[in-house]
Amino acid sequence: MAKIVFNSFESFLSRHPESFSFTATITSAEPKGLSTDKSDKKLPTPYKLFHEWASLSLAGEWVTTKYKGGFIICVSDLKDATLISQKFGTTGTPRKAFTTERNVALGYKDDDYSQLARELGYDI
């Protein structure tokens, strides 16, 4: 299970200056027309869904922060960076705010929501 031990993005970066960061452009709302899945379980936003996946999947230390139009995740471990890249792919140009030198644009997007939600046990 992943370790979330930082209360701020800046404190993570000061402890892990060689970390890997990924930016993703997503909406901040639940999927259109859906607030719960078929079993009446509340659906998370795309950011919270990604955060849930990270909590279950990453082994090293990591931190996320939201910004208008997306989020940034930083991981301290190369294995976690590789896992994220393989799972979601990379694309385009990353957002420049709060980034590290090892920053790439993450391929996670709103269209990935349904598949990831099903993988995490939501009935949609």
PDB file of all heavy atoms in Angstrom, residues 20-46:
ATOM      1  N   PHE A  20       9.426  12.104  -9.472  1.00  0.00           N
ATOM      2  CA  PHE A  20       8.827  12.083 -10.804  1.00  0.00           C
ATOM      3  C   PHE A  20       7.439  12.700 -10.679  1.00  0.00           C
ATOM      4  O   PHE A  20       6.688  12.346  -9.776  1.00  0.00           O
ATOM      5  CB  PHE A  20       8.699  10.644 -11.311  1.00  0.00           C
ATOM      6  CG  PHE A  20       9.995   9.912 -11.350  1.00  0.00           C
ATOM      7  CD1 PHE A  20      10.466   9.235 -10.225  1.00  0.00           C
ATOM      8  CD2 PHE A  20      10.768   9.895 -12.504  1.00  0.00           C
ATOM      9  CE1 PHE A  20      11.672   8.552 -10.259  1.00  0.00           C
ATOM     10  CE2 PHE A  20      11.968   9.215 -12.549  1.00  0.00           C
ATOM     11  CZ  PHE A  20      12.426   8.544 -11.424  1.00  0.00           C
ATOM     12  N   SER A  21       7.087  13.595 -11.585  1.00  0.00           N
ATOM     13  CA  SER A  21       5.758  14.198 -11.514  1.00  0.00           C
ATOM     14  C   SER A  21       5.011  14.014 -12.824  1.00  0.00           C
ATOM     15  O   SER A  21       5.599  13.934 -13.906  1.00  0.00           O
ATOM     16  CB  SER A  21       5.838  15.680 -11.141  1.00  0.00           C
ATOM     17  OG  SER A  21       6.518  16.417 -12.125  1.00  0.00           O
ATOM     18  N   PHE A  22       3.699  13.922 -12.694  1.00  0.00           N
ATOM     19  CA  PHE A  22       2.796  13.744 -13.826  1.00  0.00           C
ATOM     20  C   PHE A  22       1.667  14.750 -13.675  1.00  0.00           C
ATOM     21  O   PHE A  22       1.126  14.915 -12.583  1.00  0.00           O
ATOM     22  CB  PHE A  22       2.196  12.335 -13.826  1.00  0.00           C
ATOM     23  CG  PHE A  22       3.212  11.239 -13.932  1.00  0.00           C
ATOM     24  CD1 PHE A  22       3.806  10.717 -12.794  1.00  0.00           C
ATOM     25  CD2 PHE A  22       3.563  10.730 -15.169  1.00  0.00           C
ATOM     26  CE1 PHE A  22       4.744   9.695 -12.889  1.00  0.00           C
ATOM     27  CE2 PHE A  22       4.498   9.717 -15.272  1.00  0.00           C
ATOM     28  CZ  PHE A  22       5.089   9.197 -14.138  1.00  0.00           C
ATOM     29  N   THR A  23       1.298  15.406 -14.758  1.00  0.00           N
ATOM     30  CA  THR A  23       0.143  16.301 -14.749  1.00  0.00           C
ATOM     31  C   THR A  23      -0.951  15.685 -15.604  1.00  0.00           C
ATOM     32  O   THR A  23      -0.680  15.043 -16.614  1.00  0.00           O
ATOM     33  CB  THR A  23       0.494  17.693 -15.292  1.00  0.00           C
ATOM     34  OG1 THR A  23       1.010  17.560 -16.614  1.00  0.00           O
ATOM     35  CG2 THR A  23       1.501  18.389 -14.423  1.00  0.00           C
ATOM     36  N   ALA A  24      -2.193  15.866 -15.178  1.00  0.00           N
ATOM     37  CA  ALA A  24      -3.337  15.352 -15.932  1.00  0.00           C
ATOM     38  C   ALA A  24      -4.387  16.449 -16.039  1.00  0.00           C
ATOM     39  O   ALA A  24      -4.627  17.181 -15.076  1.00  0.00           O
ATOM     40  CB  ALA A  24      -3.932  14.132 -15.233  1.00  0.00           C
ATOM     41  N   THR A  25      -4.999  16.555 -17.199  1.00  0.00           N
ATOM     42  CA  THR A  25      -6.071  17.514 -17.428  1.00  0.00           C
ATOM     43  C   THR A  25      -7.393  16.768 -17.396  1.00  0.00           C
ATOM     44  O   THR A  25      -7.636  15.901 -18.234  1.00  0.00           O
ATOM     45  CB  THR A  25      -5.880  18.211 -18.794  1.00  0.00           C
ATOM     46  OG1 THR A  25      -4.592  18.827 -18.804  1.00  0.00           O
ATOM     47  CG2 THR A  25      -6.952  19.247 -19.031  1.00  0.00           C
ATOM     48  N   ILE A  26      -8.210  17.091 -16.393  1.00  0.00           N
ATOM     49  CA  ILE A  26      -9.497  16.424 -16.197  1.00  0.00           C
ATOM     50  C   ILE A  26     -10.520  17.419 -15.672  1.00  0.00           C
ATOM     51  O   ILE A  26     -10.165  18.499 -15.209  1.00  0.00           O
ATOM     52  CB  ILE A  26      -9.388  15.244 -15.203  1.00  0.00           C
ATOM     53  CG1 ILE A  26      -8.796  15.726 -13.884  1.00  0.00           C
ATOM     54  CG2 ILE A  26      -8.590  14.098 -15.777  1.00  0.00           C
ATOM     55  CD1 ILE A  26      -8.928  14.773 -12.744  1.00  0.00           C
ATOM     56  N   THR A  27     -11.788  17.023 -15.705  1.00  0.00           N
ATOM     57  CA  THR A  27     -12.823  17.851 -15.109  1.00  0.00           C
ATOM     58  C   THR A  27     -12.840  17.619 -13.603  1.00  0.00           C
ATOM     59  O   THR A  27     -12.296  16.630 -13.100  1.00  0.00           O
ATOM     60  CB  THR A  27     -14.215  17.514 -15.678  1.00  0.00           C
ATOM     61  OG1 THR A  27     -14.496  16.142 -15.391  1.00  0.00           O
ATOM     62  CG2 THR A  27     -14.287  17.759 -17.162  1.00  0.00           C
ATOM     63  N   SER A  28     -13.495  18.524 -12.900  1.00  0.00           N
ATOM     64  CA  SER A  28     -13.534  18.401 -11.439  1.00  0.00           C
ATOM     65  C   SER A  28     -14.866  17.871 -10.934  1.00  0.00           C
ATOM     66  O   SER A  28     -15.090  17.818  -9.732  1.00  0.00           O
ATOM     67  CB  SER A  28     -13.255  19.763 -10.807  1.00  0.00           C
ATOM     68  OG  SER A  28     -14.219  20.693 -11.227  1.00  0.00           O
ATOM     69  N   ALA A  29     -15.747  17.466 -11.826  1.00  0.00           N
ATOM     70  CA  ALA A  29     -17.082  17.005 -11.431  1.00  0.00           C
ATOM     71  C   ALA A  29     -17.257  15.517 -11.701  1.00  0.00           C
ATOM     72  O   ALA A  29     -16.499  14.912 -12.451  1.00  0.00           O
ATOM     73  CB  ALA A  29     -18.143  17.791 -12.189  1.00  0.00           C
ATOM     74  N   GLU A  30     -18.282  14.954 -11.085  1.00  0.00           N
ATOM     75  CA  GLU A  30     -18.634  13.562 -11.346  1.00  0.00           C
ATOM     76  C   GLU A  30     -19.022  13.426 -12.819  1.00  0.00           C
ATOM     77  O   GLU A  30     -19.321  14.408 -13.481  1.00  0.00           O
ATOM     78  CB  GLU A  30     -19.810  13.120 -10.473  1.00  0.00           C
ATOM     79  CG  GLU A  30     -19.511  13.041  -8.996  1.00  0.00           C
ATOM     80  CD  GLU A  30     -19.686  14.387  -8.299  1.00  0.00           C
ATOM     81  OE1 GLU A  30     -20.142  15.348  -8.944  1.00  0.00           O
ATOM     82  OE2 GLU A  30     -19.346  14.465  -7.116  1.00  0.00           O
ATOM     83  N   PRO A  31     -19.062  12.199 -13.329  1.00  0.00           N
ATOM     84  CA  PRO A  31     -19.481  11.989 -14.722  1.00  0.00           C
ATOM     85  C   PRO A  31     -20.861  12.585 -14.970  1.00  0.00           C
ATOM     86  O   PRO A  31     -21.728  12.538 -14.090  1.00  0.00           O
ATOM     87  CB  PRO A  31     -19.507  10.466 -14.865  1.00  0.00           C
ATOM     88  CG  PRO A  31     -18.671   9.949 -13.750  1.00  0.00           C
ATOM     89  CD  PRO A  31     -18.747  10.955 -12.645  1.00  0.00           C
ATOM     90  N   LYS A  32     -21.062  13.131 -16.157  1.00  0.00           N
ATOM     91  CA  LYS A  32     -22.349  13.766 -16.484  1.00  0.00           C
ATOM     92  C   LYS A  32     -23.509  12.790 -16.289  1.00  0.00           C
ATOM     93  O   LYS A  32     -23.478  11.671 -16.771  1.00  0.00           O
ATOM     94  CB  LYS A  32     -22.340  14.257 -17.919  1.00  0.00           C
ATOM     95  CG  LYS A  32     -21.581  15.532 -18.088  1.00  0.00           C
ATOM     96  CD  LYS A  32     -21.844  16.138 -19.434  1.00  0.00           C
ATOM     97  CE  LYS A  32     -21.158  17.488 -19.447  1.00  0.00           C
ATOM     98  NZ  LYS A  32     -21.564  18.329 -20.509  1.00  0.00           N
ATOM     99  N   GLY A  33     -24.508  13.259 -15.564  1.00  0.00           N
ATOM    100  CA  GLY A  33     -25.720  12.474 -15.371  1.00  0.00           C
ATOM    101  C   GLY A  33     -25.605  11.365 -14.348  1.00  0.00           C
ATOM    102  O   GLY A  33     -26.567  10.651 -14.102  1.00  0.00           O
ATOM    103  N   LEU A  34     -24.437  11.186 -13.745  1.00  0.00           N
ATOM    104  CA  LEU A  34     -24.248  10.108 -12.775  1.00  0.00           C
ATOM    105  C   LEU A  34     -23.723  10.670 -11.458  1.00  0.00           C
ATOM    106  O   LEU A  34     -22.733  11.392 -11.440  1.00  0.00           O
ATOM    107  CB  LEU A  34     -23.240   9.076 -13.279  1.00  0.00           C
ATOM    108  CG  LEU A  34     -23.610   8.261 -14.501  1.00  0.00           C
ATOM    109  CD1 LEU A  34     -22.429   7.402 -14.924  1.00  0.00           C
ATOM    110  CD2 LEU A  34     -24.800   7.371 -14.202  1.00  0.00           C
ATOM    111  N   SER A  35     -24.378  10.338 -10.383  1.00  0.00           N
ATOM    112  CA  SER A  35     -23.842  10.684  -9.068  1.00  0.00           C
ATOM    113  C   SER A  35     -23.588   9.423  -8.250  1.00  0.00           C
ATOM    114  O   SER A  35     -22.791   9.431  -7.321  1.00  0.00           O
ATOM    115  CB  SER A  35     -24.777  11.629  -8.322  1.00  0.00           C
ATOM    116  OG  SER A  35     -26.031  11.024  -8.144  1.00  0.00           O
ATOM    117  N   THR A  36     -24.271   8.328  -8.631  1.00  0.00           N
ATOM    118  CA  THR A  36     -24.071   7.037  -7.971  1.00  0.00           C
ATOM    119  C   THR A  36     -23.972   5.951  -9.028  1.00  0.00           C
ATOM    120  O   THR A  36     -24.428   6.109 -10.161  1.00  0.00           O
ATOM    121  CB  THR A  36     -25.240   6.698  -7.018  1.00  0.00           C
ATOM    122  OG1 THR A  36     -26.448   6.620  -7.762  1.00  0.00           O
ATOM    123  CG2 THR A  36     -25.370   7.731  -5.908  1.00  0.00           C
ATOM    124  N   ASP A  37     -23.367   4.824  -8.644  1.00  0.00           N
ATOM    125  CA  ASP A  37     -23.320   3.693  -9.568  1.00  0.00           C
ATOM    126  C   ASP A  37     -24.621   2.894  -9.459  1.00  0.00           C
ATOM    127  O   ASP A  37     -25.543   3.291  -8.744  1.00  0.00           O
ATOM    128  CB  ASP A  37     -22.076   2.834  -9.340  1.00  0.00           C
ATOM    129  CG  ASP A  37     -22.071   2.060  -8.028  1.00  0.00           C
ATOM    130  OD1 ASP A  37     -23.064   2.111  -7.265  1.00  0.00           O
ATOM    131  OD2 ASP A  37     -21.071   1.379  -7.764  1.00  0.00           O
ATOM    132  N   LYS A  38     -24.705   1.771 -10.158  1.00  0.00           N
ATOM    133  CA  LYS A  38     -25.937   0.970 -10.186  1.00  0.00           C
ATOM    134  C   LYS A  38     -26.308   0.403  -8.828  1.00  0.00           C
ATOM    135  O   LYS A  38     -27.467   0.088  -8.570  1.00  0.00           O
ATOM    136  CB  LYS A  38     -25.801  -0.160 -11.205  1.00  0.00           C
ATOM    137  CG  LYS A  38     -25.735   0.340 -12.636  1.00  0.00           C
ATOM    138  CD  LYS A  38     -25.487  -0.795 -13.599  1.00  0.00           C
ATOM    139  CE  LYS A  38     -25.294  -0.275 -15.009  1.00  0.00           C
ATOM    140  NZ  LYS A  38     -24.909  -1.340 -15.940  1.00  0.00           N
ATOM    141  N   SER A  39     -25.321   0.261  -7.943  1.00  0.00           N
ATOM    142  CA  SER A  39     -25.620  -0.249  -6.600  1.00  0.00           C
ATOM    143  C   SER A  39     -25.791   0.887  -5.588  1.00  0.00           C
ATOM    144  O   SER A  39     -25.731   0.666  -4.392  1.00  0.00           O
ATOM    145  CB  SER A  39     -24.514  -1.211  -6.145  1.00  0.00           C
ATOM    146  OG  SER A  39     -23.285  -0.528  -6.060  1.00  0.00           O
ATOM    147  N   ASP A  40     -25.992   2.108  -6.098  1.00  0.00           N
ATOM    148  CA  ASP A  40     -26.241   3.308  -5.297  1.00  0.00           C
ATOM    149  C   ASP A  40     -25.020   3.768  -4.497  1.00  0.00           C
ATOM    150  O   ASP A  40     -25.152   4.488  -3.515  1.00  0.00           O
ATOM    151  CB  ASP A  40     -27.447   3.107  -4.380  1.00  0.00           C
ATOM    152  CG  ASP A  40     -28.178   4.412  -4.138  1.00  0.00           C
ATOM    153  OD1 ASP A  40     -28.147   5.295  -5.024  1.00  0.00           O
ATOM    154  OD2 ASP A  40     -28.766   4.556  -3.044  1.00  0.00           O
ATOM    155  N   LYS A  41     -23.834   3.353  -4.928  1.00  0.00           N
ATOM    156  CA  LYS A  41     -22.593   3.808  -4.301  1.00  0.00           C
ATOM    157  C   LYS A  41     -22.201   5.145  -4.930  1.00  0.00           C
ATOM    158  O   LYS A  41     -22.180   5.283  -6.151  1.00  0.00           O
ATOM    159  CB  LYS A  41     -21.492   2.766  -4.525  1.00  0.00           C
ATOM    160  CG  LYS A  41     -20.200   3.069  -3.823  1.00  0.00           C
ATOM    161  CD  LYS A  41     -19.226   1.915  -4.027  1.00  0.00           C
ATOM    162  CE  LYS A  41     -17.914   2.159  -3.331  1.00  0.00           C
ATOM    163  NZ  LYS A  41     -16.960   1.070  -3.590  1.00  0.00           N
ATOM    164  N   LYS A  42     -21.900   6.162  -4.102  1.00  0.00           N
ATOM    165  CA  LYS A  42     -21.553   7.487  -4.602  1.00  0.00           C
ATOM    166  C   LYS A  42     -20.294   7.402  -5.475  1.00  0.00           C
ATOM    167  O   LYS A  42     -19.311   6.788  -5.107  1.00  0.00           O
ATOM    168  CB  LYS A  42     -21.315   8.455  -3.462  1.00  0.00           C
ATOM    169  CG  LYS A  42     -20.979   9.864  -3.942  1.00  0.00           C
ATOM    170  CD  LYS A  42     -21.029  10.857  -2.826  1.00  0.00           C
ATOM    171  CE  LYS A  42     -20.587  12.238  -3.194  1.00  0.00           C
ATOM    172  NZ  LYS A  42     -20.661  12.686  -4.533  1.00  0.00           N
ATOM    173  N   LEU A  43     -20.357   8.022  -6.638  1.00  0.00           N
ATOM    174  CA  LEU A  43     -19.216   8.035  -7.555  1.00  0.00           C
ATOM    175  C   LEU A  43     -18.287   9.203  -7.228  1.00  0.00           C
ATOM    176  O   LEU A  43     -18.757  10.322  -6.984  1.00  0.00           O
ATOM    177  CB  LEU A  43     -19.693   8.152  -8.999  1.00  0.00           C
ATOM    178  CG  LEU A  43     -20.406   6.928  -9.551  1.00  0.00           C
ATOM    179  CD1 LEU A  43     -21.006   7.237 -10.913  1.00  0.00           C
ATOM    180  CD2 LEU A  43     -19.445   5.752  -9.651  1.00  0.00           C
ATOM    181  N   PRO A  44     -16.987   8.954  -7.244  1.00  0.00           N
ATOM    182  CA  PRO A  44     -16.026  10.032  -6.982  1.00  0.00           C
ATOM    183  C   PRO A  44     -15.791  10.873  -8.244  1.00  0.00           C
ATOM    184  O   PRO A  44     -16.135  10.457  -9.353  1.00  0.00           O
ATOM    185  CB  PRO A  44     -14.754   9.267  -6.605  1.00  0.00           C
ATOM    186  CG  PRO A  44     -14.865   7.980  -7.363  1.00  0.00           C
ATOM    187  CD  PRO A  44     -16.340   7.657  -7.392  1.00  0.00           C
ATOM    188  N   THR A  45     -15.182  12.019  -8.048  1.00  0.00           N
ATOM    189  CA  THR A  45     -14.745  12.820  -9.190  1.00  0.00           C
ATOM    190  C   THR A  45     -13.606  12.084  -9.884  1.00  0.00           C
ATOM    191  O   THR A  45     -13.005  11.157  -9.297  1.00  0.00           O
ATOM    192  CB  THR A  45     -14.234  14.195  -8.723  1.00  0.00           C
ATOM    193  OG1 THR A  45     -13.067  13.989  -7.914  1.00  0.00           O
ATOM    194  CG2 THR A  45     -15.307  14.969  -7.964  1.00  0.00           C
ATOM    195  N   PRO A  46     -13.245  12.458 -11.109  1.00  0.00           N
ATOM    196  CA  PRO A  46     -12.100  11.815 -11.766  1.00  0.00           C
ATOM    197  C   PRO A  46     -10.806  11.912 -10.943  1.00  0.00           C
ATOM    198  O   PRO A  46     -10.032  10.964 -10.883  1.00  0.00           O
ATOM    199  CB  PRO A  46     -11.985  12.571 -13.088  1.00  0.00           C
ATOM    200  CG  PRO A  46     -13.376  13.001 -13.386  1.00  0.00           C
ATOM    201  CD  PRO A  46     -13.953  13.356 -12.035  1.00  0.00           C
TER     202      PRO A  46
END
